[in-house]
Amino acid sequence: MAAFWHQRGRRQENGGLGSVIDGLGSVFDVLLANARLVLGVSGAAVLAIATLAVKRLIDRATSPRDEGDPKAEQKSLEESWQDLALIKTTPKPPKKQRREDLSEPLLSAARPVVPGEALNARGCSAPVGAPQVKSSPLRCLTLQEKLLSHSSQLAVPEIQVSLVPQLARSICTQLQNFLRSKCPELPFGRLFLSGALLDGLEVLAADHIHLMLPVALDTGLWSLISGEDTVVRNPQYWMIKRVDLGYFPRGCSPWDRFIVGRYLSSSVLNETLHKLLVASINWPAIGGLLGCAIYPVVASRELKLEVKHDQVELSITLFPVVEMEDKVLLAVPPEGLVENLWLESFYRAEVSRVKELDAGDCGARQLCLRILNGVCRSQPSLHKLGGSPVTNVILHLSDTALDWAEESLADRFQQVLEDLVASLEKGVLLSYFNPKINLFSGLLEEEIDEMGFVLYRAISEPEVLLK
């Protein structure tokens, strides 16, 4: 009793702090007594734990310290941190359930963390008799699973799939109207779009598309000559020769103005169209009408437009195209002095053949092609392999490998890599539709070596191409 009155006297000496604490204690007792009625069972438990921690802090702050104990201050600090941790780990009362939450699946309520269990979670041994939870081992994905997972990441954003063709067709219409009003004497055909996006083979982003401008020729006044029969000795190109000049002199064909040495010059036609695109068309007005900015590329040898929209940035390349004798010829002359050559394009035939084969056996050739196109696009050293070279390898392989089901995707993918490496070692990849054409003829030796090195490493570990 003497100690009690001595302690009480010291509290009264501290400016009446003892009476205040006694008052707080009474308030806490009243709250605890009525907490269950007001807050419920869980709310009362929360309030009880918090109140206990606060009362401990107040009692420790007002209790006398032993003058001779040098560790008393350090001990009180440690106990205070423990009490604060107790408050922080106090479980929150569940929120009131809403009507819309009733349709959601119920989850088991989380149990509050006990200090002893927290120590076990940090690495200490669990108490005897506690159930042991076995961690599931990491599952190693097969190449088949990695390819299927990677293919889902190659999808072009939906906004680009819908917006890019719509924007390109609007520009196509404006360009068609301009050519008809500016050059009514030239029988250009109806412009149309082409490219991997329209064929479902585009990957990652729809940032380029082709605009084909048909050049309608009178077959009675023009004939084709293979490039291998000319001085260039290249079967990939053709020349379009003006015939019967004795009976039908110059001027009988509206395309005679583009003749150089009796041959329809792809270079002269491109130069004329380039001047029209750069200097004659009011692209700012057209862009304002379509809600975008359109810029013709002045320095490019190609007929190219750069389009900037709020949601996409697009590159449109214009190709004058001649279709004669079941051949598709583009006005893409090679670099050099020869300006009358037209490049034969097999793109339409290649894509049609791949789709036809897949339709016949429910194959995964298009899926394999999309994955490989994505690999070539993401690897700078493999850019020139994307598109036609990869498509031709798949077509050649389809003649020998008959199982193209989705379950065999990994095997076919591995075979395509092996065939590409073998072709790069020889420096020869024959066109599927014209075996006289070597698709690697335009590559430098350094480019072939670099591509071969990358793919050779990928044969033993093809997963590196999917990163």
Side-chain angles (χ1 to χ4, degrees), residues 159-169 197 206 208-209 312 314:
I159 182 62
Q160 297 183 14
V161 173
S162 59
L163 180 58
V164 167
Q166 177 183 354
L167 191 60
R169 288 190 181 95
L197 177 63
H208 65 280
I209 201 167
V312 295
L314 176 65

Side-chain angles (χ1 to χ4, degrees), residues 29-294:
D29 293 338
V30 173
L31 287 176
L32 290 176
N34 296 277
R36 183 166 182 176
L37 297 176
V38 178
L39 302 177
V41 177
S42 58
V46 172
L47 182 59
I49 294 175
T51 304
L52 177 59
V54 174
K55 290 181 67 176
R56 286 183 183 177
L57 291 174
I58 295 175
D59 291 341
R60 191 173 295 114
T62 57
S63 62
R65 289 183 293 179
D66 296 335
E67 300 296 338
D69 188 2
K71 297 183 180 180
E73 182 176 358
Q74 179 66 26
K75 183 178 179 182
S76 63
L77 288 176
E78 293 177 356
E79 293 176 348
S80 299
W81 281 111
Q82 293 176 1
D83 290 336
L84 289 177
L86 179 62
I87 295 176
K88 290 183 178 180
T89 57
T90 301
K92 296 181 180 180
K95 64 180 180 179
K96 186 177 180 180
Q97 194 174 32
R98 298 175 300 172
R99 181 183 300 271
E100 55 269 22
D101 295 336
L102 296 178
S103 60
E104 298 181 358
L106 296 178
L107 300 177
S108 58
R111 191 165 51 91
V113 178
V114 180
E117 294 178 350
L119 292 176
N120 292 331
R122 289 194 293 266
C124 297
S125 59
V128 180
Q132 299 292 331
V133 179
K134 294 183 179 180
S135 59
S136 59
L138 294 177
R139 181 168 175 264
C140 297
L141 298 178
T142 63
L143 177 58
Q144 175 80 11
E145 292 170 331
K146 291 180 180 179
L147 288 172
L148 294 176
S149 175
H150 184 71
S151 66
S152 63
Q153 303 173 11
L154 299 175
V156 179
E158 188 63 31
I159 182 62
Q160 297 183 14
V161 173
S162 59
L163 180 58
V164 167
Q166 177 183 354
L167 191 60
R169 288 190 181 95
S170 299
I171 296 175
C172 178
T173 301
Q174 296 295 326
L175 183 58
Q176 183 87 65
N177 295 336
F178 171 82
L179 291 176
R180 287 176 178 174
S181 61
K182 185 71 174 180
C183 310
E185 72 282 2
L186 296 177
F188 287 113
R190 186 174 184 82
L191 285 157
F192 62 92
L193 302 181
S194 178
L197 177 63
L198 302 178
D199 296 312
L201 298 175
E202 188 62 87
V203 292
L204 298 177
D207 54 2
H208 65 280
I209 201 167
H210 296 160
L211 188 56
M212 316 304 288
L213 176 61
V215 176
L217 297 179
D218 186 349
T219 55
L221 300 178
W222 304 89
S223 65
L224 299 182
I225 299 177
S226 175
E228 60 180 338
D229 297 333
T230 65
V231 293
V232 296
R233 301 296 179 186
N234 191 338
Q236 198 169 4
Y237 290 91
W238 292 77
M239 301 183 77
I240 305 176
K241 185 178 180 180
R242 178 70 158 83
V243 296
D244 293 335
L245 284 175
Y247 295 98
F248 303 99
R250 286 178 179 249
C252 293
S253 172
W255 303 106
D256 287 344
R257 56 187 286 192
F258 303 104
I259 288 180
V260 174
R262 295 189 64 177
Y263 296 96
L264 183 62
S265 174
S266 55
S267 295
V268 175
L269 179 58
N270 278 340
E271 290 173 1
T272 302
L273 291 174
H274 189 273
K275 292 178 182 178
L276 292 176
L277 290 178
V278 172
S280 300
I281 303 180
N282 189 355
W283 291 117
I286 296 177
L289 180 65
L290 301 179
C292 62
I294 307 174

